[in-house]
Amino acid sequence: MNKEHSKFLILGIIVVGMVLRLPFTSIPPILGSIAKSQHVSVGQLGMLTTIPLIAFAIFSSLAPKTAQKFGLERAFALMLGLMIIGSIVRVINTPFLYFGTLLIGIGIAHLNVLLPSVIRTYFPTKIGPMTSLFTFSMMLSTALGASMAAPITAMTNWHMFIIILSIALFIALIIWLPNERFAVKHKQNKVSTSHVIRTQEKISVWKNKYAWLLLFFCGMQSAMFYVLMAWGPTMAVQTGLSPAVAGIFSGLNSLIGLPFALIIPTIIARSTRKQRQILMSIISLSGVFGYLLLLHPVGTFSYWLIVNILIGVSTSGLFPYLLTTFSLKTSSPSQTAQISGMVQSGGYLIAALGPALFGYAFSWFHSWTPQIFVILVLFILMIIAMVIVEKKDKIL
């Protein structure tokens, strides 16, 4: 257990949390401006929201190897540097816009996986509060970024907004750098422990049935969020709402997440397994009821407000729970990184496919109903998977 760390570690965790979604979640509100400037259709830029999810799916499983090679602290610095490069090159032209987004996705994929491991390493008795800290900072910056993107772009241009995001990433790197000098020492300590144990962990995590259940849970809770983000506004407009009103609900979901990000990890860390089963089942069912309402859509603001609140409460509670579970269900930082990488790799693959398949089904059936039925069944299975996982004190 590494007790010694930089005085900037906690502040570093906060700023990393702030840039963990900001570079790509703040882009959708200004896609129209980017498309007009680059002389392409908005539809062609839709991949900008999918590329990070694909990167999460491909590169999350590589994060533990990166940490073993360079050390946790140095891996963070390298990934923040990669994100800065990716952010800056986006202003060059359309191909670099895609390429830069891919680099950002690779960086975030690593940080997603390794943040729980950092907390497990340095704050084993404060897993809940520390997870609350970075999830709250992440959701707050996401909400602020989404709300400020359009006004800043209107006053200047989208290039300037990207530059501002790049500066934010650079500041995060500067704040994190004091932690980097601990990387070599801690890396050596980890290597001097048991290489055999680490190898066994690497092999066993893919053969662990509870890890697969957690992977499915991760994918479905992500799909619950991203399907609504991708198609909720379209469905709302089809019922008669204006695009401006429908767009309000994207920011609403981020705001709903703030109190949950602050309290859920701490509550989860202090609860018994039975209490976690009950609490997370209730939160999960909130999202299920939200999607049930989508079977009979109504073109009123109050209806869509209720739908978004129900689903927003669910997704805002399930994500912090998942991040906390990586630490609670494992016995070492190495195990935390292994299961976090495996679960997020497969989970985000499901998350990337979910919105695409949901939309494709509409073009096939000319209705949202069949795919909503399918996703409701999957959400119920998600709850069952969570209940089974919570029967075990540790899964690794």
Side-chain angles (χ1 to χ4, degrees), residues 5-197:
H5 58 76
S6 163
K7 294 179 181 179
F8 289 85
L9 180 61
I10 294 178
L11 181 59
I13 290 172
I14 293 172
V15 295
V16 168
M18 292 180 68
V19 300
L20 204 56
R21 291 291 184 272
L22 188 62
F24 78 93
T25 56
S26 57
I27 299 302
I30 60 172
L31 281 180
S33 299
I34 297 175
K36 184 177 180 180
S37 170
Q38 301 299 99
H39 306 291
V40 297
S41 68
V42 175
Q44 286 180 258
L45 298 180
M47 279 295 290
L48 293 177
T49 57
T50 305
I51 288 174
L53 296 180
I54 296 173
F56 297 170
I58 296 173
F59 293 95
S60 291
S61 60
L62 302 179
K65 293 181 180 178
T66 304
Q68 287 174 14
K69 183 175 179 61
F70 299 103
L72 274 173
E73 300 82 358
R74 185 165 294 168
F76 268 60
L78 290 172
M79 290 305 131
L80 286 170
L82 185 66
M83 289 170 66
I84 292 170
I85 295 171
S87 183
I88 292 173
V89 302
R90 290 188 292 180
V91 303
I92 298 175
N93 55 34
T94 303
F96 273 99
L97 185 61
Y98 290 112
F99 178 65
T101 301
L102 174 61
L103 295 183
I104 289 171
I106 293 172
I108 294 175
H110 282 74
L111 298 180
N112 272 339
V113 171
L114 299 179
L115 257 176
S117 188
V118 167
I119 291 173
R120 184 71 174 78
T121 299
Y122 290 110
F123 306 100
T125 61
K126 298 181 180 179
I127 289 173
M130 292 305 300
T131 303
S132 295
L133 197 62
F134 87 79
T135 53
F136 179 82
S137 64
M138 180 185 70
M139 291 184 180
L140 177 60
S141 66
T142 298
L144 291 175
S147 62
M148 294 173 63
I152 291 175
T153 300
M155 289 187 292
T156 56
N157 52 56
W158 71 271
H159 296 87
M160 180 56 67
F161 182 69
I162 294 294
I163 291 172
I164 292 172
L165 292 178
S166 302
I167 293 172
L169 286 166
F170 182 74
I171 293 172
L173 175 60
I174 294 300
I175 293 174
W176 181 263
L177 278 179
N179 301 300
E180 193 268 348
R181 66 187 179 90
F182 289 85
V184 175
K185 179 180 177 180
H186 293 164
K187 176 176 176 285
Q188 289 172 344
N189 289 342
K190 290 167 192 171
V191 171
S192 66
T193 56
S194 177
H195 175 74
V196 175
I197 291 175

Side-chain angles (χ1 to χ4, degrees), residues 262-275:
L262 202 57
I263 64 173
I264 287 294
T266 302
I267 292 175
I268 292 301
R270 295 177 179 177
S271 300
T272 64
R273 283 178 290 161
K274 190 67 177 179
Q275 289 171 335

